[in-house]
Amino acid sequence: MSVEIASFDDLLQAARRQPEPQRLLFVFAGSELPDDCTPEQRVRYQTGEGGVLTPLMSVDKAPEELGSFGALTEEARRFGPDWAIVFVASLSGRGGQAPSKAEAERSLERMIASIKAGAIGAFIPFDRNGDPVLLS
């Protein structure tokens, strides 16, 4: 099933409509400037572009646990450092059973490793407003 995700709410609705129970996986990342950056990279970073995305914290939630993007960001604000992008993936259950906490943890660990390696194509990134972001 192909789903157009134009907002965080679209993602929540799509996850809630899946035939198997889902866990949404979130990795919050901050943007920082690498030590070996060029002057041009520094200027771009100062205007809000570029930088390196570094995973800061992660969490998994059932779609039913999330009321809105605002609730998720408020929770992130209370429990963690300031972030720039949140990467989201979905983990599907089987046989009517939701994924276990251990499955979610393993998947989050793989997400974090992928983000550190720059392999982000399997995730949907959202900015602090809940809008999908196209990263280049």
Side-chain angles (χ1 to χ4, degrees):
M1 172 191 335
S2 178
V3 177
E4 178 75 24
I5 304 294
S7 70
F8 188 79
D9 287 340
D10 290 346
L11 174 73
L12 278 179
Q13 291 172 14
R16 290 173 180 152
R17 286 192 309 260
Q18 296 305 304
E20 293 290 347
Q22 304 290 303
R23 290 299 290 180
L24 294 176
L25 309 174
F26 300 94
V27 176
F28 294 84
S31 178
E32 53 190 40
L33 206 54
D35 293 334
D36 61 349
C37 70
T38 66
E40 292 81 16
Q41 289 171 324
R42 185 173 302 282
V43 169
R44 282 188 62 217
Y45 183 77
Q46 291 170 342
T47 63
E49 297 180 16
V52 176
L53 293 171
T54 305
L56 301 171
M57 60 185 165
S58 62
V59 68
D60 67 285
K61 300 247 180 215
E64 298 74 28
E65 293 177 276
L66 295 166
S68 67
F69 188 74
L72 177 69
T73 59
E74 177 58 25
E75 183 178 336
R77 186 194 63 73
R78 285 195 322 268
F79 293 107
D82 197 24
W83 55 275
I85 297 283
V86 59
F87 292 95
V88 185
S90 183
L91 183 61
S92 185
R94 292 174 301 284
Q97 295 295 314
S100 71
K101 192 69 172 166
E103 289 172 310
E105 285 298 320
R106 285 191 300 274
S107 293
L108 282 168
E109 289 171 11
R110 286 192 298 272
M111 274 182 78
I112 291 167
S114 293
I115 292 165
K116 286 180 178 178
I120 57 173
F123 315 126
I124 302 174
F126 290 93
D127 66 16
R128 295 181 65 89
N129 296 318
D131 297 320
V133 176
L134 180 60
L135 298 173
S136 55

